[in-house]
Amino acid sequence: MKADDDTTLPFWRQRPRPIGFEIAYRLKGDTLEIDSTRKVDQVRLSAVEQVRFIYAPSNVSSKGFRTQLRLSDGKSITFGNLSWRSLTDIERDDARYHAFVTALSAAIVRANPKARFLAGKPYLLWLALALAGGGAILMLTFFSLRAFQQGATAAAGLGLVLAAASFWQVWPMIKLNRPRDLASGEVPDDLVPGRQAA
């Protein structure tokens, strides 16, 4: 949190790519200010029709989460809990991320009580992910069983290792991104980490 105009305004800063500018998001009443260094945009929170929370691991971290806002004009705003500090270093500040998302969600509900809150991927994308991931694991398991039957234990072992690694990668994406409706203003702890104990 930062002092601004003699008031404390909720904010979040993120550098979404290893190379590029930091983006600052700041709540100002019923407006979300987005400062990308090159320009500053003002988004009316009454224009937010949908808020979606998703699990979005990156290539270097399995702890990536995102918040997506869909506006009435069809545009969307997405930000996450991971911020690049350099080409090889990512910073996580889950407590501040959770605090900002909670304040933003409450402000959206005040500005537009009809805004929908959703968790996970859209149903068809989630189903495709579940079918593809489950199918790949089944194929690797079947390959391993056939290799064992034919005495190729090294190939069977490799297949089982790949199946286990696939499960380890895919299962959290399927589990956490299960599509579901949320109560108005609800911030799910499994998709927005960092809630501080009361």
Side-chain angles (χ1 to χ4, degrees):
M1 305 293 162
K2 179 180 178 182
D4 192 315
D5 298 329
D6 298 323
T7 62
T8 301
L9 301 173
F11 78 94
W12 176 246
R13 294 180 187 275
Q14 179 191 26
R15 190 171 167 199
R17 294 178 193 85
I19 298 173
F21 296 104
E22 180 181 76
I23 301 174
Y25 302 87
R26 181 170 283 108
L27 275 177
K28 291 189 170 181
D30 62 353
T31 301
L32 175 63
E33 180 184 272
I34 304 170
D35 184 349
S36 63
T37 307
R38 293 172 293 165
K39 65 176 183 172
V40 177
D41 291 318
Q42 304 282 336
V43 176
R44 290 179 302 105
L45 295 179
S46 59
V48 177
E49 291 185 334
Q50 178 181 286
V51 181
R52 184 181 293 274
F53 306 104
I54 61 170
Y55 171 62
S58 70
N59 292 340
V60 295
S61 176
S62 63
K63 301 295 183 186
F65 298 89
R66 290 195 185 135
T67 299
Q68 298 175 333
L69 310 178
R70 192 180 72 200
L71 308 180
S72 56
D73 62 3
K75 294 179 182 176
S76 64
I77 299 164
T78 302
F79 59 91
N81 68 322
L82 302 179
S83 185
W84 289 87
R85 292 186 350 180
S86 68
L87 288 172
T88 58
D89 189 22
I90 284 187
E91 178 181 35
R92 283 179 59 200
D93 186 351
D94 289 344
R96 190 172 297 229
Y97 177 71
H98 192 284
F100 175 73
V101 171
T102 300
L104 175 62
S105 296
I108 289 169
V109 169
R110 286 191 301 272
N112 181 11
K114 294 181 180 179
R116 289 185 66 202
F117 283 73
L118 304 169
K121 297 272 190 184
Y123 180 75
L124 289 178
L125 288 177
W126 176 80
L127 183 61
L129 172 67
L131 291 174
I137 292 168
L138 283 174
M139 285 181 6
L140 285 167
T141 304
F142 177 75
F143 166 81
S144 297
L145 291 175
R146 292 290 294 157
F148 271 127
Q149 288 175 344
Q150 295 176 359
T153 55
L158 177 62
L160 289 176
V161 168
L162 290 174
S166 296
F167 180 81
W168 177 70
Q169 289 287 321
V170 171
W171 176 245
M173 293 179 68
I174 294 171
K175 179 184 171 194
L176 293 173
N177 281 326
R178 177 180 54 85
R180 60 196 191 272
D181 289 329
L182 300 171
S184 183
E186 181 180 351
V187 176
D189 289 341
D190 59 339
L191 294 173
V192 185
R195 180 184 299 274
Q196 298 295 299

